[in-house]
Amino acid sequence: MPYVITDACVDVMDRTCVDQCPVECIRPGERMLYIDPDLCIDCGACEPVCPQGAIHLADALPPALQRFRTINAEFFTGPGGDHPDVAALPSR
Ligand code: SF4
């Protein structure tokens, strides 16, 4: 069960989580970071260090953030750059 980064990361990209990840599965887009669900080992190290509270266990996502499970996964199969749904979010 992978962890998922959500919209609280958008236009913040603190990146503390990147240094905590033992398998280097957190990658930057232009406006937010994304977790590769195929590489995440569910260690949970990234979740508490995010100052935005942007990281959630996939099965514990609040209903309004469920779509970020797909958004994180599709980032890694897409053409590069942010997921289109993230690119379309208003600027903070
Ligand atoms: Fe990396 Fe662990 Fe976070 Fe998965 S749960 S993204 S392996 S730090």
Side-chain angles (χ1 to χ4, degrees):
M1 184 55 53
Y3 279 71
V4 171
I5 299 179
T6 64
D7 60 352
C9 183
V10 174
D11 297 335
V12 179
M13 295 179 72
D14 173 79
R15 299 176 191 258
T16 302
C17 59
V18 174
D19 294 332
Q20 295 297 316
C21 182
V23 295
E24 299 183 2
C25 68
I26 304 176
R27 301 291 180 188
E30 297 294 324
R31 298 182 64 194
M32 67 171 275
L33 302 165
Y34 301 83
I35 293 174
D36 186 337
D38 292 333
L39 297 180
C40 176
I41 58 171
D42 316 340
C43 71
C46 56
E47 182 184 17
V49 301
C50 177
Q52 296 298 111
I55 305 175
H56 303 266
L57 187 62
D59 269 1
L61 282 166
L65 298 177
Q66 287 284 342
R67 64 193 176 115
F68 279 89
R69 184 172 185 161
T70 301
I71 286 171
N72 276 244
E74 289 183 348
F75 172 79
F76 292 93
T77 58
D82 277 308
H83 187 281
D85 289 2
V86 172
L89 290 171
S91 298
R92 288 180 183 268

